[in-house]
């Protein structure tokens, strides 16, 4: 099976490295030539364009930052969907909005191709280890076709339902995770102001009902106010939680606590957008 990767940021890179190590036939394309060279040195082939990549693979994969980036890659005469072989599949690992994924699925179906959303949970280290949660949405027959042959090599897939359900699961997970992060920031700020030592605070929270995956991954750096060299930027975190709140608004479901967290990330993005997402601490 030849698999094409478009968009080699931290999450996409981790998955791509994992598949190369497992012996998959990988083709890569990215706007950053140095990134492409790194993967070619690992054993991947390179494509000259999105169109070139799509024409030579059985499955294409995108992992891009924004809905408009996904549209630019997938749609149009030079895009993935028009240039994949008929019957081929595209897996979208990006975090997008519901309207976008419905549009992409409809376009793929019109062209005789298959489109699935398979957004990821957790972070780059988990992706590189092949243990990333995958929230799959789309045609169940296509999911079944690739579950063992590809998806279980990428991570831990769960079939959620249609593309709307798959993307909604990711947005809900982001809403909960980012909201928890905002609460963690407030707790850490209180601990520092009250003079509680970092190690004591982290150990005590870890052994309490307040413990969470977000706290485990971010407490030490936040306490030390280390927001440089981001694993995940404030800008991307704000995008993720914004899309989730917008989904809730479209179905008239109030999410007041998550909306407050969205506003905190918005304020942080305006000043610290390219720093690590824990820089929400700075606006407290």
């Amino acid at each position: 099976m030849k698999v094409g990767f478009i968009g080699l940021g931290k999450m996409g890179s981790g998955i791509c490295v994992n598949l190369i190590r497992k012996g998959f036939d990988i083709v890569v394309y990215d706007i950053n030539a140095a990134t492409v060279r790194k993967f070619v040195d690992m054993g991947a082939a390179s494509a000259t364009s999105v169109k070139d990549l799509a024409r030579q693979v059985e499955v294409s994969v995108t992992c891009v930052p924004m809905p408009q980036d996904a549209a630019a890659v997938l749609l149009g005469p030079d895009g993935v969907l028009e240039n994949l072989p008929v019957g081929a599949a595209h897996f979208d690992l990006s975090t997008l909005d519901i309207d976008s994924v419905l549009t992409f699925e409809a376009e793929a179906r019109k062209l005789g191709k298959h489109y699935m959303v398979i957004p990821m949970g957790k972070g780059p280290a988990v992706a590189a280890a092949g243990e990333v949660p995958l929230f799959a949405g789309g045609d169940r027959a296509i999911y079944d076709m690739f579950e063992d042959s590809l998806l279980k090599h990428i991570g831990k897939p769960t079939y959620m339902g249609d593309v709307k359900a798959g993307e909604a699961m990711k947005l809900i997970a982001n809403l909960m995770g980012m909201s928890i992060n905002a609460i963690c920031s407030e707790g850490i700020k209180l601990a520092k102001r009250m003079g509680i030592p970092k190690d004591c605070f982290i150990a005590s929270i870890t052994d309490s009902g307040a413990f969470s995956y977000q706290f485990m991954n971010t407490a030490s750096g936040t306490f030390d106010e280390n927001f440089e060299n981001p694993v995940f930027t404030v800008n991307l975190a704000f995008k993720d939680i914004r899309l989730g709140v917008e989904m809730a608004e479209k179905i008239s479901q109030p999410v007041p606590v998550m909306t407050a967290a969205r506003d905190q990330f918005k304020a942080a993005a305006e000043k610290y957008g390219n720093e690590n997402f824990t820089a929400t601490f700075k606006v407290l």
Side-chain angles (χ1 to χ4, degrees), residues 40-215:
V40 169
D41 290 344
M42 293 179 191
S46 64
T48 58
S49 66
V50 169
K51 183 176 182 179
D52 177 43
L53 181 145
R55 287 181 167 179
Q56 57 180 299
V57 301
E58 298 166 67
V59 178
S60 58
V61 178
T62 47
C63 187
V64 297
M66 305 295 285
Q68 57 266 34
D69 299 320
V73 168
L74 293 175
L75 303 179
D78 295 323
V80 168
L81 297 180
E82 286 206 20
N83 291 287
L84 279 175
V86 172
H90 180 75
F91 294 161
D92 205 330
L93 275 57
S94 313
T95 300
L96 305 173
D97 59 284
I98 303 298
D99 289 344
S100 289
V101 300
L102 290 171
T103 297
F104 301 151
E105 182 189 44
E107 182 66 13
R109 186 181 295 116
K110 183 175 73 175
L111 295 166
K113 324 291 171 69
H114 303 285
Y115 173 87
M116 291 196 72
V117 296
I118 312 184
M120 302 171 284
K122 298 188 174 178
V126 181
E131 298 177 353
V132 64
L134 302 169
F135 311 122
D139 186 335
R140 180 63 193 248
I142 300 303
Y143 175 82
D144 289 343
M145 183 185 302
F146 290 101
E147 181 182 21
D148 290 329
S149 61
L150 178 59
L151 296 177
K152 285 185 176 179
H153 292 277
I154 293 175
K156 298 179 177 179
T158 301
Y159 181 73
M160 307 304 304
D162 61 13
V163 291
K164 182 171 66 175
E167 200 63 58
M169 181 65 231
K170 172 59 172 171
L171 294 176
I172 293 166
N174 283 346
L175 281 171
M176 294 175 69
M178 293 300 103
S179 298
I180 290 168
N181 174 260
I183 293 295
C184 287
S185 293
E186 293 179 7
I188 292 167
K189 175 69 79 168
L190 281 170
K192 292 190 72 167
R193 291 288 304 274
M194 296 305 295
I196 300 172
K198 181 182 80 170
D199 291 345
C200 179
F201 176 70
I202 291 174
S204 297
I205 290 292
T206 301
D207 198 32
S208 79
F211 181 70
S212 67
Y213 177 83
Q214 284 281 11
F215 182 83

Side-chain angles (χ1 to χ4, degrees), residues 5 17 25 50 147-148 177 199 222 245 282-283:
F5 269 82
V17 168
D25 189 0
V50 169
E147 181 182 21
D148 290 329
D199 291 345
T222 305
V245 171
K282 290 188 175 184
V283 300

